Amino acid sequence: MAESGLYKEAVVLWEHAARLASTPLDVTPLLVWLINSQQIVQAAKLYFAHATTLQQRHPQLEKKLLSLLAAHLLVNRADLKKSLPSHHPLKEDLPLAKLALAALCQGDLTKLKQSLQSLSSDSPYREFADILLSLATPLEEPERLIQALQTIPASSPFANLARAAGIRSLSGRALARALMQIPQVDQTFVAHLLGIPTPIIDQINQLSTCHKSAHFLQALLDHPSPLTGPWIRPTFLDLLVDDLGKRAAVEERIGPFSKTENARLLALHHQRKKNRVRTRTYWKQYRSLIKKQPDSRNRSLTLAQIASHFATLEESTHWPSRVHIIEHLQEARGWDPEDSALLLRLIHWHQQDEDRVAYYSLIEEALKQFPTNPDILLAASEAAIQRKAYKKALGLITAAAKLEPNNQETLSRQRVAQTLLARKQIKQGRLNLARKGLAHIRPLAQNRATESHLCILQAILESLSGNTDAETAFLEQGKKLAASGPLFPLTLLLEAGEMGLAKSRIYDYLNRLELECQTPPNRTETKKIITLAKDHFARKNPLVSESFDRLKRYLSKGSRLDFSKKEADTLCNDLFQIKQFSLLKSFAESAQKRWKGEPAFLFFRLYAESGGETYRISDEDFFALRDALPTAVRRGDDLTAQRIDSLMGQSPHGSRRNLGALSPAKIPKLLEKQLVKNLKKWIVSEFGQEKRTNLNNGDSLRTLLLERLANSEYASRGPFILAYLVDKALDREEGPTGQRKKREKPPIRQLEMDLFE
């Protein structure tokens, strides 16, 4: 019910379940539902009844609730005020917050600062105080104005007020755009702050109802006043991109366009029309005109934006080249080395490159240049984790958490990094350090499953230390936190095997695993078990196969559960990766019964039946795979298409000699119409519609296209698909008499320039 937004009904059901339960239930979901259903007084009473537990387990939820209660108290909620304890910052700091608000309205900045200084840094009214401080900052200091609001997260009850206060820092075109995107009550608030006349606000509201840019452009042309200023010209140029027919009217209003403006306008226009050749031509023209301008900061930023834009154009193609994208981004960074977002984008593409040296050196360079940028620190932590430098990763994430203490993703990464470090320390025998680290992250656990996992690690640590009493205590505690079923003993077994626990203890855990397999499985537990096994298999845990021998009968029942198509595909893929062929066959057969004709499940079943040995695939199965290949390609299932193509290539039936002996009528089944269509579109976008008739079946062009595809994401499709794809796309068209027209060979030099420029 809560997922459907029926929070009040969910509260009633929770209260009924709590009365029937033998042990106390977790109050966290109840608190969230009370907040979402606007039962603020009840939420406050529940919080103060369980304040200690919530402070330890959910500090962020506690902070959000206290800010929400502070916001309600500021609008004089007498019923809420009565429900609060007498000595609490919510009550004690309320007069100071109201005094500061009154001082701001009276323009008494001295009294305002005195009131704000009296509030503690952890006061529930701290976010409200930051907004007041921002409103008191002069418009001539926009950086200070924005800085005061940066500590307020988007999930805060004061977020909307902070957004409206931040609009004060804008001017001209940016201010007009921001005013169009906020509710009318916020518009009125900002208008009073900035002294914007009512006629301008009315016209902005009228313009904001123009959903299409053409209507918006016409509205601007029809209303020459009161909207004026230097921002009007770039606004007209942006709107004209979709409606070049009004160019004369716009030039009459704002004056003739310069060559630079004209080149940019035409580049954006053809980009919207998806004409790649003309788009690149006009962007290059725009770039050459910008380069002729005198050196300035604005010139460098514009050239950086153009280079970045070329990278975006390359990303949007059917077959983007990672090499070209990196080259464009490096050029952009040369023009604007201070752009951290550009550097993060470059790191992202280097991360996918096989050259790890270049990736790691770029990370180190980024850290030296932006040592206090949270996003750079998190990107560097990912690289450190890949190199298994968990201590360094933890230090980077901790530094990022200090910069953004309210970022939940950063706190989650901190817990993961600390867990990885503790696991590594246990393997190395540094038990005291591991014990200290696990004790530190235990309060950061966001749910019962995570806390249960931490109990397992602590139990293994105590077992290695010889402290059996502490081991038993942690296992009992973890078992209570975990759900029933074999997931808890399986996690315990796999972690014990990875940590090198004694075989006698491992066999005890194996017996526990068998005891927990008596009840039938459910969907959630089945997914978690297979995902857990996949993760440990990737870490080469020797106990994965042995544990699955005990779980086969249990999990085979899970194959008949009502999984969605996406879930079934994920489970089959995980079982495929960990080489559990009997279970893979069960899950694939069940999925095939529900989704007949699905290439992925056909592949999984046949692969499982062959036990991964391609020579066991029969003639009938080989041709079934071959017929399923075009379907996989047409549906965009690249991974399945690649796997089928690779399997066919390894099979004795798929040798070039045998494939060539197949009936010519069956060979085109390997060709996929949709991919051929996409390739033809790409050829046209590269060479232009007017040059399409010059494309021929020559070896030179074929070689160029194959080289281009070999450097793209489609290189993974396999040799059959690439070769047939190119041949089909370059096939000659038939003339009106049924005979094929011969095409003239294109100038290869020009094709090389267009393809690899």
Side-chain angles (χ1 to χ4, degrees), residues 98 138 213:
K98 289 187 174 182
S213 59

Side-chain angles (χ1 to χ4, degrees), residues 32-263:
V32 174
W33 298 337
L34 287 171
I35 294 173
N36 291 340
S37 60
Q38 298 299 314
Q39 300 181 61
I40 304 300
V41 176
Q42 293 87 331
K45 292 179 179 178
L46 180 67
Y47 163 74
F48 287 110
H50 301 84
T52 304
T53 304
L54 290 169
Q55 286 170 1
Q56 293 177 350
R57 291 189 177 181
H58 306 284
Q60 298 305 316
L61 177 61
E62 180 209 20
K63 183 175 181 180
K64 181 179 178 180
L65 175 62
L66 292 178
S67 295
L68 180 64
L69 296 178
H72 279 274
L73 289 170
L74 285 169
V75 293
N76 299 321
R77 283 285 300 267
D79 55 341
L80 176 60
K81 191 174 181 180
K82 290 180 181 178
S83 66
L84 301 178
S86 55
H87 299 290
H88 192 275
L90 279 170
K91 266 189 177 180
E92 294 174 347
D93 293 349
L94 179 60
L96 288 172
K98 289 187 174 182
L99 189 63
L101 177 61
L104 176 68
C105 295
Q106 296 166 4
D108 191 345
L109 299 184
T110 303
K111 193 174 182 180
L112 170 66
K113 291 180 179 179
Q114 290 175 351
S115 301
L116 296 181
Q117 288 173 356
S118 301
L119 291 173
S120 62
S121 59
D122 57 349
S123 170
Y125 300 93
R126 187 71 261 172
E127 293 175 351
F128 180 66
D130 291 337
I131 295 174
L132 296 182
L133 185 63
S134 172
L135 293 174
T137 303
L139 294 177
E140 292 77 14
E141 303 177 32
E143 293 183 359
R144 276 187 55 210
L145 189 154
I146 294 298
Q147 186 177 6
L149 302 172
Q150 287 179 341
T151 58
I152 303 175
S155 59
S156 168
F158 294 102
N160 289 339
L161 181 60
R163 180 187 61 182
I167 292 177
R168 291 178 62 242
S169 65
L170 305 177
S171 60
R173 181 185 183 191
L175 175 61
R177 281 184 171 178
L179 287 172
M180 291 178 188
Q181 297 170 359
I182 60 177
Q184 189 169 358
V185 63
D186 293 348
Q187 283 182 351
T188 306
F189 175 69
V190 177
H192 283 299
L193 289 176
L194 297 176
I196 301 176
T198 303
I200 290 186
I201 293 295
D202 293 340
Q203 187 173 356
I204 285 175
N205 286 328
Q206 181 184 356
L207 293 175
S208 65
T209 61
C210 302
H211 300 294
K212 293 184 178 180
S213 59
H215 299 163
F216 188 65
L217 177 60
Q218 189 60 51
L220 277 178
L221 291 170
D222 293 342
H223 297 80
S225 62
L227 292 179
T228 57
W231 61 276
I232 284 291
R233 187 176 185 87
T235 299
F236 271 115
L237 287 170
D238 285 350
L239 294 173
L240 199 57
V241 169
D242 293 320
D243 195 4
L244 283 180
K246 291 186 173 64
R247 176 169 181 161
V250 171
E251 285 189 305
E252 183 179 350
R253 169 79 182 271
I254 65 175
F257 299 155
S258 66
K259 289 183 179 180
T260 306
E261 291 173 334
N262 187 64

Side-chain angles (χ1 to χ4, degrees), residues 410-437:
T410 305
L411 295 176
S412 177
R413 291 192 186 197
Q414 187 178 17
R415 177 183 55 78
V416 171
Q418 182 68 73
T419 304
L420 291 171
L421 178 59
R423 186 185 280 120
K424 182 178 179 179
Q425 290 169 338
I426 292 174
K427 290 181 183 178
Q428 295 173 341
R430 303 164 70 183
L431 302 182
N432 289 332
L433 287 175
R435 185 181 289 108
K436 186 183 297 184

Side-chain angles (χ1 to χ4, degrees), residues 17 289 316 339 345 350-351 408 436 486 500 539 612 684 688 698 721:
L289 290 169
S316 65
D339 189 345
R345 194 174 165 194
H350 268 292
Q351 191 175 9
Q408 292 298 313
K436 186 183 297 184
R539 299 203 293 265
V684 172
I721 294 179

